[in-house]
Amino acid sequence: LHLTLLFLGQVSEAALPGLRAAAAAVRAVPCSVMIERLERWRGGLLCATGPVPAPLRTLHAQLLAAVRDLGLRVDARPLRAHVTLARGVARAPVAQAQETTRVRWRSRSLCLMESRPRPDGGRYAVLGRWPLDRAPDAVVQHENAQVGA
């Protein structure tokens, strides 16, 4: 499982080196996201979601700017960090949105993922992974502060 931070859609092989360089340039430290809702999204997606903490918004903004600098198109909708639990769910087992048992999602790395559709469902491949242990220059850290993905 992974928490989606920025959906890129179809990307050419030629764009991958630039995406890898952009991800390597991100400055953030590990953070936690509280997953507390199940949501049924258009297209038959069942997702686990939660409030997006400010540090995650900052990381998203860094990635968004870097991807746009590469000339790639990205989804302009506001960040909705989520974990996709199921695809092609014609009738989701939950209402449009429903609270669920809270789960703390701890992010320690930033990954470039590729979705590989298969007849029995999609599979994901990690195309690159970068540790989130590099503090942003403009962030003052306190003992319990958390910044990042």
Side-chain angles (χ1 to χ4, degrees), residues 25-142:
V26 166
R27 295 293 178 248
V29 296
C31 81
S32 294
V33 176
M34 189 60 70
I35 301 295
E36 56 189 34
R37 297 176 62 81
L38 293 178
E39 296 183 7
R40 184 173 29 135
W41 290 4
R42 285 184 288 148
L45 292 179
L46 180 62
C47 298
T49 67
V52 180
L56 193 60
R57 289 185 197 285
T58 301
L59 176 56
H60 177 258
Q62 286 182 61
L63 292 170
L64 190 61
V67 169
R68 285 183 174 154
D69 286 349
L70 293 172
L72 299 175
R73 279 205 240 165
V74 291
D75 192 338
R77 291 179 286 187
L79 171 62
R80 290 182 72 191
H82 64 279
V83 177
T84 301
L85 301 175
R87 297 179 180 280
V89 178
R91 296 180 58 124
V94 297
Q96 196 68 21
Q98 172 180 319
E99 288 188 18
T100 187
T101 302
R102 298 176 85 189
V103 175
R104 182 176 307 277
W105 185 278
R106 179 101 171 126
S107 296
R108 292 181 176 87
S109 61
L110 173 66
C111 297
L112 178 60
M113 306 290 292
E114 178 183 28
S115 174
R116 297 180 178 167
R118 294 174 28 164
D120 62 343
R123 296 289 185 262
Y124 293 97
V126 178
L127 301 180
R129 180 184 309 265
W130 299 268
L132 292 178
D133 60 1
R134 301 162 296 165
D137 294 337
V139 174
V140 176
Q141 295 183 7
H142 300 283

